[in-house]
Amino acid sequence: MEIIMAILAGILFTMGVYNLLQKQLLRIIIGTGLISHGAHLFILTMGELKTGAPPVLTEGVENYTDPLPQALILTSIVISFGVTSLLLVLAYRAAKINGTDNMEQLRGNDYE
Amino acid sequence: MSNLAVLPILLPLLAGIFLAFIHKKTKLVRILSKAFAIINLLVAGVIFMQVRNNGNIVLEMGSWDAPFGIVLVADLLAMTLVFTTNIIAVASVFFAPQSLSEKEESFYFYTFFFMLISGVSGAFLTGDLFNLFVFFEVLLMASYGLIVLGNGKAQLRESIKYVLINLFSSMLFVTTIAFLYSVVGTVNMAQAAQRVHEVEQQGILTTIAILFFFVFATKAAVFPLYYWLPRPYISPNPVVSALFGALLTKVGVYSILRTFTLIFNQEVELTHTLFIYLAALTMIFGVVGALSTNNIKLIVAYNIIPAVGFMLMGIGIFTEVSITGTIYYLVHDMVIKGALFILVGATAYVAGTSDLRKMGGLIHHYPVLGWLMFLASLVLAGIPPFSGFIGKLLLLRGGLGEEEIFIVIIALISSLLILFSMIRIFISGYWGEKMDIPVPERKKKGKRMALPAAGLLTVSILLGVGAEWFFPTIEIIAQYMMDPELYIDSVLKE
C-alpha cells in the first residue's frame, strides 16, 4: 500500500514540476497545487498505512494508526488552500495590470 | 511563569487583529501601533532578562508533555533575536507614516506588519519542526500582503515569483519533515536531536539534513538559491523592504543555525565543509551583484547575500568562536540592514530616482542623511570600532583557528568590495556638483525619514563600541549552542 501511495505522490510531483515550468501563469498555479497534494500524500505514507485500525491508542488495542501525520496534513492542507487562493487572486491582478499572463513577458529587466 | 514565552507571538497577533478593525482612522492607528510596538519591545526585554537570569523558559502548549505536544522554547538565542526583531519593528513603525501614502496605510499595513512580527517571533521561539513550518507560513502570508501593498505593475510582477519560490520551498519543507518523521518518529526538535544518535543509517539522515539545508537556504538566499531575492525586495515600499531585508532572510539563517547545531551535527565533515564552500561562493556572487548595478536599492538588496555568506561561514567552521561570530553578525546584520534600507529609501525619495547616474550633490541639501549613509556603509563593511567589525573579527579568528585560510581570504576581499559598493552610493549620490532638486516638502519629510535610521544606527554603534557588555551574553549562547544536551534537557526535563 505504501509503495502505491509513494508512486502516486511521485507522479503528482512530476506533473506539478512539469506544470511549474510552463509559461502560462494559470498552469504554474495548477502545478503548485499538484505539488502540495503530492507532499500531503507523502506525509500520510510516512506514518505507515493500515486499513481499519483506530487512530487512537486505548487499552486492549494492539494495532493502531499513527494519528500525527493526519494532524500534520490537516494543517498543511489548510495552509495550501490559503496560499493557492491568494495566488489565484494575485495572478488575476498581475495579469490584468501587466496586460499579460506569459512569464516570458513578466521577466522584469527594467531595473537597470 | 512559563506562559511568558508566548507573549512575543500573542501580543503582535492581537495588535494586528485589533488594528484591522479600525484601519480607516489613520491617525489613531499610527499612535496605537507605535504604542503596541514599544510595549512589545519592553515585554521582549523583560523575557530576555528572565531567561538570562533563570535559564530557558519552556512552554508546553495545552499542558501536553514535551515530545507529544507543541512546545515553545524561549532560550537565550531565540530571545536575543526576538528582541532585535522588536527593535526593527519599532524603527519601522516610526518610518512607516513617512514612507507610505495614507491610502496604503489604511489598507491594513499595520495589520500585516504585526502579523509578520508575530510570525518571525514564532519561528524563533518554536521547538517543533512542523510548527516552524507553520510560523514560516504565517510570516510569509503577511509578507505576501506587504509586498503587493500599493498595487504597482512591478510589485505584482515580482510578487508572483516571490510567492512561487516560497510556496515551492514550503512544500519541500513539508516533504522533508515527513522524511524525518519516518526516520526518527518525531517532529519535536529536542527529541529528534536525541534520536538522531540512535538511528543506525547515518546516510539517510545526511540526505535529510541536506534537504533541510536546501529549504532553509532558499529562504536565507545562499548561493545558488539567491537569484529570487534582490528584485522582489526592492519593488515594494521602502519600509517593507527594510522589514524584509532585516528579518526574512535571517529567519532562514536562524533555522540553519538551530537545526545544524542541534539535530544534524553527525557528519560534520560533509555538511559543514559544504557550508564553507557555499559561504565563499555566496560572498563572491553577492558582492559581484552589488557592484554590477547602478540602482541604489538594488545595491543594498544584493548586500544581503554576502552577509548571509558570513553567517554561513561561521556555522560551517563550527567552533565556539565562529558560532559566537555568527550570532554577533546575525544581530548586527538585522539592525544595519534595517537602517540601510530606510536610508536608501529616503535617498531615493529625496532624489526622485534610484539611479546613481542621475543623482549627485545631495549632501548640500541633506547633510544629515548623507553622513548617516556614510556611517551606515562603514558599519556594514565592518570598519572598527563598529559592530560589523566585531562579528567579522570573531568569524575570521574562528576560521584561522581551524586553518581555513581560503575562506578567510575570500571574506576579507569581499568585505573590501562591500565597502566599495556602498561607498559608491555616497560618492556619486551625495558628493559632487550641487543638484537642483530642492523640493521643499520633500526636504522636510526627508529629514523626518532619517530619524528611525539614526535610531537603528545608534543601536548598531552601541553593539560595536559596547561590545564588552554584549559579548559575555553572546559567548554564553555560543557555548549553549555547541552543547545540544542543554537544549534537550531543558525541553524534555529528564
Side-chain angles (χ1 to χ4, degrees):
Chain A
M1 190 65 178
E2 274 92 358
I3 301 281
I4 300 169
M5 291 288 264
I7 291 170
L8 185 59
I11 291 171
L12 280 172
F13 268 108
T14 321
M15 303 288 258
V17 171
Y18 175 75
N19 272 309
L20 211 58
L21 295 173
Q22 301 300 302
K23 283 178 192 158
Q24 206 191 348
L25 210 44
L26 199 59
R27 293 189 72 167
I28 294 174
I29 297 170
I30 292 172
T32 62
L34 287 174
I35 288 181
S36 54
H37 278 36
H40 299 153
L41 263 186
F42 191 69
I43 307 177
L44 196 65
T45 319
M46 285 295 120
E48 287 189 29
L49 300 161
K50 284 174 195 129
T51 38
V56 220
L57 188 63
T58 47
E59 272 179 65
V61 174
E62 301 265 298
N63 190 14
Y64 73 103
T65 310
D66 191 353
L68 193 81
Q70 301 179 14
L72 300 188
I73 293 177
L74 211 55
T75 319
S76 179
I77 284 175
V78 173
I79 289 170
S80 80
F81 262 151
V83 180
T84 308
S85 55
L86 178 117
L87 199 52
L88 281 168
V89 175
L90 199 63
Y92 173 70
R93 288 295 304 175
K96 211 171 177 190
I97 296 230
N98 284 295
T100 175
D101 71 337
N102 190 321
M103 287 309 266
E104 283 289 311
Q105 285 158 10
L106 291 171
R107 286 171 80 106
N109 293 323
D110 54 347
Y111 284 106
E112 211 29 55
Chain B
M1 204 54 220
S2 65
N3 283 344
L4 272 180
V6 80
L7 281 182
I9 306 170
L10 198 62
L11 281 181
L13 188 70
L14 290 178
I17 293 168
F18 176 66
L19 291 173
F21 286 107
I22 52 164
H23 69 106
K24 280 196 177 134
K25 302 188 177 82
T26 320
K27 277 184 184 146
L28 181 67
V29 169
R30 275 180 198 165
I31 296 166
L32 277 177
S33 54
K34 279 171 195 165
F36 283 137
I38 290 170
I39 291 170
N40 212 13
L41 179 67
L42 293 177
V43 168
V46 168
I47 303 170
F48 176 78
M49 286 320 289
Q50 284 278 350
V51 175
R52 176 89 172 75
N53 297 333
N54 305 334
N56 291 1
I57 299 177
V58 179
L59 173 59
E60 290 163 343
M61 305 300 277
S63 293
W64 282 83
D65 283 344
F68 307 112
I70 293 168
V71 279
L72 295 180
V73 186
D75 59 6
L76 260 182
L77 175 68
M79 280 324 294
T80 311
L81 295 176
V82 167
F83 188 70
T84 321
T85 303
N86 280 306
I87 293 176
I88 312 282
V90 171
S92 306
V93 153
F94 279 89
F95 181 54
Q98 267 88 50
S99 165
L100 293 156
S101 71
E102 203 145 306
K103 199 180 165 207
E104 284 168 334
E105 268 184 282
S106 71
F107 262 93
Y108 304 103
F109 168 78
Y110 292 104
T111 302
F112 287 133
F113 168 78
F114 279 110
M115 294 292 177
L116 184 75
I117 301 296
S118 172
V120 171
S121 306
F124 288 145
L125 286 171
T126 182
D128 177 302
L129 277 168
F130 194 79
N131 219 20
L132 184 67
F133 160 72
V134 173
F135 277 116
F136 265 5
E137 287 304 309
V138 170
L139 74 91
L140 284 174
M141 277 304 229
S143 75
Y144 301 156
L146 286 172
I147 201 170
V148 291
L149 200 71
N151 204 15
K153 243 182 175 179
Q155 266 173 304
L156 284 164
R157 192 183 60 209
E158 299 303 337
S159 67
I160 286 189
K161 298 165 199 167
Y162 176 76
V163 175
L164 282 174
I165 276 287
N166 279 307
L167 190 57
F168 185 75
S169 73
S170 293
M171 283 311 136
L172 201 64
F173 194 5
V174 171
T175 317
T176 317
I177 289 171
F179 263 130
L180 186 72
Y181 183 73
S182 78
V183 175
V184 298
T186 180
V187 287
N188 183 296
M189 286 199 233
Q191 206 184 12
Q194 212 174 28
R195 288 201 183 159
V196 154
H197 298 270
E198 295 157 14
V199 174
E200 297 293 315
Q201 304 148 293
Q202 287 302 323
I204 191 151
L205 273 173
T206 312
T207 314
I208 293 170
I210 298 293
L211 272 171
F212 266 117
F213 176 70
F214 185 84
V215 171
F216 297 142
T218 312
K219 314 256 183 210
V222 173
F223 174 86
L225 304 160
Y226 66 86
Y227 51 87
W228 59 272
L229 180 132
R231 291 195 171 134
Y233 272 40
I234 63 162
S235 48
N237 205 285
V239 59
V240 180
S241 299
L243 274 173
F244 282 18
L247 303 178
L248 294 193
T249 50
K250 305 325 176 264
V251 179
V253 174
Y254 163 81
S255 309
I256 295 176
L257 180 62
R258 179 67 91 196
T259 46
F260 280 87
T261 52
L262 184 65
I263 306 174
F264 305 113
N265 49 10
Q266 310 293 308
E267 294 214 23
V268 176
E269 288 96 70
L270 186 91
T271 49
H272 291 65
T273 313
L274 176 76
F275 288 179
I276 292 180
Y277 285 113
L278 285 181
L281 287 166
T282 311
M283 287 177 207
I284 296 167
F285 278 81
V287 150
V288 168
L291 290 172
S292 71
T293 171
N294 279 310
N295 184 329
I296 54 170
K297 290 182 178 174
L298 214 51
I299 292 176
V300 177
Y302 267 117
N303 264 318
I304 295 175
I305 299 162
V308 172
F310 280 112
M311 293 174 235
L312 194 65
M313 167 188 162
I315 303 171
I317 293 165
F318 204 54
T319 59
E320 205 179 293
V321 183
S322 73
I323 297 284
T324 320
T326 299
I327 298 165
Y328 211 104
Y329 205 83
L330 190 57
V331 174
H332 145 80
D333 199 58
M334 281 167 94
V335 177
I336 192 64
K337 284 285 144 57
L340 267 175
F341 270 105
I342 291 176
L343 282 172
V344 287
T347 308
Y349 175 79
V350 295
T353 169
S354 53
D355 194 333
L356 260 185
R357 288 164 295 195
K358 288 182 192 148
M359 56 174 79
L362 283 171
I363 200 140
H364 300 286
H365 304 290
Y366 306 99
V368 179
L369 214 56
W371 290 114
L372 282 177
M373 190 76 217
F374 181 67
L375 209 58
S377 309
L378 294 189
V379 174
L380 181 74
I383 303 292
F386 300 122
S387 54
F389 172 70
I390 315 272
K392 269 179 198 160
L393 184 69
L394 287 166
L395 286 173
L396 296 183
R397 254 178 52 195
L400 287 176
E402 290 292 296
E403 300 198 332
E404 301 275 359
I405 308 294
F406 147 78
I407 184 92
V408 169
I409 292 170
I410 287 185
L412 286 171
I413 294 173
S414 64
S415 299
L416 206 64
L417 291 176
I418 289 171
L419 181 65
F420 176 55
S421 74
M422 288 309 298
I423 225 72
R424 233 158 43 110
I425 300 180
F426 186 73
I427 290 173
S428 32
Y430 283 93
W431 240 213
E433 289 287 302
K434 200 169 180 176
M435 197 177 151
D436 38 309
I437 43 121
V439 190
E441 75 264 30
R442 278 200 179 164
K443 200 159 184 174
K444 212 172 155 193
K445 225 174 174 182
K447 274 181 188 159
R448 257 186 284 153
M449 278 175 159
L451 191 73
L456 282 181
L457 265 180
T458 318
V459 174
S460 183
I461 290 169
L462 263 180
L463 267 174
V465 179
E468 271 180 41
W469 305 325
F470 302 103
F471 187 71
T473 312
I474 291 180
E475 209 174 16
I476 293 171
I477 302 175
Q479 279 163 4
Y480 166 83
M481 297 301 289
M482 291 303 286
D483 189 4
E485 291 299 320
L486 293 174
Y487 182 92
I488 297 170
D489 286 346
S490 75
V491 176
L492 298 177
K493 292 192 196 77
E494 282 175 64

